Amino acid sequence: MDEVDGNAIGGLLIDVFGTEMTVASSTCGTCGATRPVAELVVYRRAPGTVVRCRTCGSVLMVFVKAQGVTCVDVAGLASLGMPDDLTPYR
Ligand SMILES: [Zn+2]
């Protein structure tokens, strides 16, 4: 299976979240590891994209594109947000 990192889905994340998310900070809901989205492990397989924790391997996010709509499951994340010093909105 082809493993890439979060940078590979930067464009997909912009489509879904409307902003650059590779610099966002993610927290794993299973092990609590916190790291930038760019450093997460990504598996791209049609029709979906699976994002896993680099520490424990838990599934953090799943993106499935169906009929032109991207469905997102972020149930594996404890949190996802911009680090304070990178917040583009202030
Ligand atoms: Zn984890």
Side-chain angles (χ1 to χ4, degrees):
M1 195 152 43
D2 292 334
E3 176 186 320
V4 294
D5 67 25
N7 289 306
I9 58 169
L12 171 66
L13 294 171
I14 289 173
D15 286 346
V16 172
F17 294 102
T19 186
E20 170 61 47
M21 292 299 288
T22 56
V23 297
S25 177
S26 67
T27 302
C28 175
T30 300
C31 73
T34 298
R35 57 169 46 82
V37 169
E39 295 180 8
L40 298 175
V41 183
V42 176
Y43 297 96
R44 307 172 92 174
R45 311 184 284 180
T49 298
V50 177
V51 182
R52 289 181 178 272
C53 175
R54 192 171 287 281
T55 302
C56 72
S58 288
V59 174
L60 302 182
M61 294 185 277
V62 180
F63 301 90
V64 178
K65 193 158 192 173
Q67 298 177 346
V69 177
T70 302
C71 301
V72 187
D73 178 354
V74 294
L77 283 171
S79 71
L80 178 66
M82 289 294 174
D84 287 344
D85 60 351
L86 289 173
T87 303
Y89 299 116
R90 57 173 196 184

